[in-house]
Amino acid sequence: MKFGAIGIDHLHIYGMSQNLMAAGGEFAGWWTEGEPKPLQGFLKRFADIPRAPDAQTLFDDPEIEMILISCIPRDRAEWAIKAMEAGKDVMVDKPGCVTLEELDRIKEVAARTGRIWSIDFSERFEVPCVTKAAELVQSGVIGKVVQTLGMGPHRHNAHMRSDWFYDPRSYGGILADIGSHQIDQFLFFTGSTDAEVVHASVGNYANPDKPDLQDFGEIVLKSDQGHGYVRVDWYTPDALPTWGDGRLTILGTEGYIELRKYVDVATSEVTDTLILVNGERCEKIDAREAGLPYFGRLIEDVRNRTETAMPQAHAFKTMELALKAQVLAERKAK
C-alpha cells in the first residue's frame, strides 16, 4: 500500500510514517506548507522520500491509497475531507478535528465516499504495553473492566513550540487534543460505544505569559459499561528522562493492570512496563516486544474495506466526547 503525507507540523508524523512503513506501507511522497519546526527532523528520518510540489499532486496519484495528516489541528478536517473526496483513505494525527461542526462534516463525507477516517491515537497504537494489556483484558485475567484511570502528562518544551500551539482555535484545547488519547483508551478497555461526560475542567496554572494555553485538564466519564477518569497536563519536570510519565490503570472485578508506558520512574528507564495483579498473579511484565498491530491492520483494512484496526464509529465517538468535554470545560471556565 502506497501512502503520502500532508502537513509536517507535529512530531507525531514521525511515528505515523515509520510505523506504517514497518508494517509494509510504501511512503510515496509528502507535502507541507512552508518550513514548520518538525521539518528538519522529518528530513533526516525520511531523506529519500520526495517532496511533492503541492498537495494536489498526491491526491492525483492513483497509486497512493492513504494520506497521513499531521498539519496544524485547525486544518486537519479540511485536508481529510479533500483526501476522502479524492478517493483516499486517511490516517490523521490527534485531534482529528477541533470542532463538532467539523466532525459532522467528516462523518458525512466518510459515509458518502466510503473512505476510512482513522486517528492514530499514539498513546495506544504506538505503545507495546497497551497491546499486551489488551490481550490480557480480553483473556479475562482481571474480570470485567469497570474503570480506567488515564494520566497523560507532557513536557511543555516551549522553545520547540510554534505560535499555533498557544492558540486554542488552532490546537483545539487540551481536552480535545491530548485528552482524546485517554478517552480512546476508556472506550476501548471498557467496551463502551457511547459515554457521558460527567465533569470536565481546564486551567492555566503555570504559564501566565501564555494566557490562552490550557496547561491542565481533567474529565470524568461514565457509560453503561464502566467509569473513567482522565488527567492531562503540560507539567513534566526536566529531571524526568522522557517527555512524560504516562500511565494507565485498568480496574477489573477480579484484578487490575497498571501500565507505566514511557518510564518506570525511580526504578528503571525501561519503557512498556506492565503490572498485573489478580487472585493468582502479582507480577511486573516487560511488554516491549508485544508489537503494534494497528498499522498492519490498517493496511489490511484499506485492502479489504474492513474495520479491524479501529471501528469507524469508535474514531467518531472518541472525538465527539473529547470535543464535548472541551466545550463543557471552557463554558465552566468563563
Side-chain angles (χ1 to χ4, degrees), residues 9 25-26 44 67 90 101 173 184 189 193 207 268 303:
D9 294 276
E26 180 182 342
K44 289 178 181 178
I67 298 292
V90 170
E101 290 76 18
D184 161 65
F189 280 109
T193 57
N207 294 276
S268 167
R303 290 174 177 159

Side-chain angles (χ1 to χ4, degrees), residues 47-334:
D48 297 331
I49 311 302
R51 182 173 187 168
D54 50 47
Q56 193 62 43
T57 300
L58 301 176
F59 292 152
D60 289 343
D61 187 336
E63 294 190 352
I64 291 177
E65 298 179 76
M66 172 167 280
I67 298 292
L68 276 53
I69 297 173
S70 190
C71 58
I72 297 172
R74 68 172 180 242
D75 299 325
R76 290 176 188 171
E78 201 62 42
W79 281 118
I81 288 169
K82 288 179 179 179
M84 289 189 286
E85 295 277 16
K88 313 299 185 184
D89 294 315
V90 170
M91 180 211 290
V92 63
D93 186 14
K94 60 81 222 155
C97 54
V98 297
T99 70
L100 288 164
E101 290 76 18
E102 288 178 346
L103 181 60
D104 286 340
R105 290 180 61 212
I106 289 167
K107 289 179 179 179
E108 185 276 323
V109 174
R112 175 164 47 81
T113 62
R115 295 296 97 193
I116 296 168
W117 184 75
S118 190
I119 303 173
D120 177 15
F121 290 114
S122 57
E123 293 188 30
R124 174 158 69 103
F125 296 139
E126 297 187 25
V127 179
C129 67
V130 182
T131 302
K132 183 64 176 180
E135 294 172 0
L136 291 168
V137 167
Q138 288 162 12
S139 73
V141 296
I142 62 169
K144 175 179 168 51
V145 173
V146 297
Q147 192 213 31
T148 62
L149 193 163
M151 293 185 289
H154 286 60
R155 179 167 282 134
H156 184 179
N157 282 332
H159 65 287
M160 297 173 59
R161 302 296 178 180
S162 302
D163 290 343
W164 63 260
F165 179 77
Y166 299 102
D167 177 7
R169 293 169 297 180
S170 294
Y171 76 89
I174 193 170
L175 301 182
D177 182 20
I178 56 179
S180 62
H181 284 298
Q182 309 302 327
I183 296 173
D184 161 65
Q185 291 167 100
F186 160 77
L187 293 173
F188 175 74
F189 280 109
T190 61
S192 300
T193 57
D194 198 359
E196 174 190 359
V197 178
V198 178
H199 164 76
S201 66
V202 295
N204 182 334
Y205 302 106
N207 294 276
D209 59 321
K210 303 291 185 181
D212 291 328
L213 175 66
Q214 297 163 1
D215 58 25
F216 174 85
E218 64 179 356
I219 308 170
V220 176
L221 298 162
K222 182 180 179 182
S223 76
D224 59 358
Q225 298 295 317
H227 305 258
Y229 176 76
V230 171
R231 191 209 81 203
V232 288
D233 65 74
W234 290 101
Y235 299 149
T236 294
D238 289 342
L240 194 77
T242 188
W243 57 266
D245 183 12
R247 300 194 185 197
L248 177 69
T249 299
I250 307 164
L251 177 66
T253 54
E254 299 175 22
Y256 65 90
I257 291 170
E258 181 189 344
L259 304 181
R260 300 178 183 179
K261 297 182 178 182
Y262 310 110
V263 61
D264 191 359
V265 68
T267 301
S268 167
E269 293 186 17
V270 169
T271 64
D272 296 284
T273 297
L274 185 151
I275 296 167
L276 169 64
V277 182
N278 65 10
E280 300 174 349
R281 301 165 67 181
C282 182
E283 59 187 281
K284 183 178 286 190
I285 299 170
D286 182 347
R288 284 177 289 176
E289 301 302 319
L292 304 174
Y294 166 78
F295 298 93
R297 290 173 181 170
L298 188 57
I299 289 174
E300 291 302 309
D301 289 341
V302 170
R303 290 174 177 159
N304 302 321
R305 313 317 298 167
T306 50
E307 298 186 12
T308 62
M310 175 173 57
Q312 184 64 82
H314 176 96
F316 291 152
K317 183 57 65 173
T318 299
M319 280 315 308
E320 176 192 326
L321 292 171
L323 293 167
K324 285 182 175 179
Q326 187 69 49
V327 170
L328 176 61
E330 292 183 357
R331 188 181 301 141
K332 287 182 177 179
K334 289 181 179 179

